[in-house]
Amino acid sequence: PGGTPPLAVPSSLAGHCKPRPTVAALFAGPLLRTRTLGMIYCWFASSFGYYGLSLNTGNLAGSLIVNFAFGSAIELPSYAVAVWLLGTYGRRPTLALGFGIGGLSCLACLVLPSGLPTTAAAMVGKFFVTAAFGSIFVYAGELFPTVLRSAAVGLCSTAARVGGATAPLAVSLSTIASWVPLAVFGGASLLASLVIVVLMPETLGRPLTETIEDFERAASEDHQSGGRRPGRDGRSRGRPRRETADAYENATLAQEVL
């Protein structure tokens, strides 16, 4: 008595008033579980390679100051190139290219003579790994349905923090040989490129999936077409992203009302 009566939920929002899935839902189905595990590793590898190559600058031949300054400066054009590639060729090729060339450049240090050639190859690897590291933030959000997007990106971000924390341990392997850290970073990046090519679909121009059911249907079509599911004018069929965002806002409002 005397209290504020509960607000009535509009009938238009009643269909959206469902419990929000938890992080455990990311591992519920085989398609969603495969994509989640693949992105967890790719985030780990991107952070592991990015911070590892930055910290490994002191093990390269030449001036530490010059190497560190150059390694930092190349990040600006790397991000610019990544933005252009993401919008022109898509997310999947950009990440596969970044991880692939970055990994191969690092592995090339195993056969290149010590000195300037090794330093140059390491810088090329840093350039492309940086591009992949910046691109994966865009890609990950588009791979998961709206109801799980924040949980998925949060979980992947945690994996990236683990990668950054373990990078100094790999750098310390230079006590064995100067090329060992570069081999470790190169192998991790090359494996991430393989994960992108084999397991992940293209998301450029496609509407975001809203529910887990939408995701399963779209992922099944991607699996059958090898990650290149086309739609009208090169886009996949489905609701436009504006409608997806409106549905998410309505669902959030309904939960607040309840």
Side-chain angles (χ1 to χ4, degrees):
T4 302
L7 296 176
V9 179
S11 58
S12 61
L13 301 180
H16 296 290
C17 299
K18 300 178 181 179
R20 182 171 298 181
T22 63
V23 176
L26 290 169
F27 303 93
L31 294 175
L32 190 54
R33 180 168 56 250
T34 299
R35 187 168 298 183
T36 300
L37 292 175
M39 286 309 296
I40 285 175
Y41 175 74
C42 288
W43 276 67
F44 170 87
S46 64
S47 180
F48 181 67
Y50 173 79
Y51 289 108
L53 290 173
S54 299
L55 294 172
N56 194 60
T57 303
N59 295 327
L60 300 176
S63 170
L64 172 61
I65 297 176
V66 173
N67 290 343
F68 185 80
F70 187 77
S72 300
I74 62 175
E75 292 188 17
L76 294 177
S78 175
Y79 289 131
V81 170
V83 170
W84 178 74
L85 289 174
L86 285 171
T88 305
Y89 296 101
R91 283 68 161 130
R92 188 188 188 199
T94 301
L95 276 163
L97 184 73
F99 281 128
I101 298 182
L104 289 174
S105 299
C106 292
L107 291 176
C109 296
L110 277 68
V111 296
L112 290 173
S114 60
L116 182 59
T118 299
T119 301
M123 291 299 172
V124 172
K126 172 74 181 300
F127 180 92
F128 283 97
V129 169
T130 299
F133 190 34
S135 303
I136 203 167
F137 287 86
V138 177
Y139 190 49
E142 298 175 348
L143 284 174
F144 297 94
T146 299
V147 293
L148 289 173
R149 188 165 297 119
S150 59
V153 173
L155 183 61
C156 292
S157 181
T158 301
R161 304 289 79 79
V162 175
T166 54
L169 301 178
V171 174
S172 66
L173 295 177
S174 62
T175 55
I176 302 174
S178 60
W179 53 265
V180 174
L182 293 171
V184 173
F185 299 136
S189 296
L190 206 58
L191 181 58
S193 177
L194 185 63
V195 170
I196 294 293
V197 171
V198 175
L199 300 179
M200 302 301 164
E202 179 55 65
T203 60
L204 178 62
R206 297 183 180 182
L208 300 179
T209 55
E210 179 183 342
T211 65
I212 296 179
E213 291 74 17
D214 291 340
F215 168 85
E216 294 287 349
R217 182 169 54 253
S220 178
E221 295 177 9
D222 286 328
H223 181 70
Q224 295 174 2
S225 63
R228 296 180 294 274
R229 177 170 48 91
R232 291 182 301 178
D233 300 327
R235 299 175 182 269
S236 63
R237 298 182 297 274
R239 285 173 288 187
R241 292 190 177 186
R242 179 66 258 171
E243 294 182 13
T244 300
D246 290 341
Y248 177 67
E249 293 173 1
N250 291 339
T252 303
L253 175 61
Q255 291 179 351
E256 292 176 353
V257 170
L258 289 175

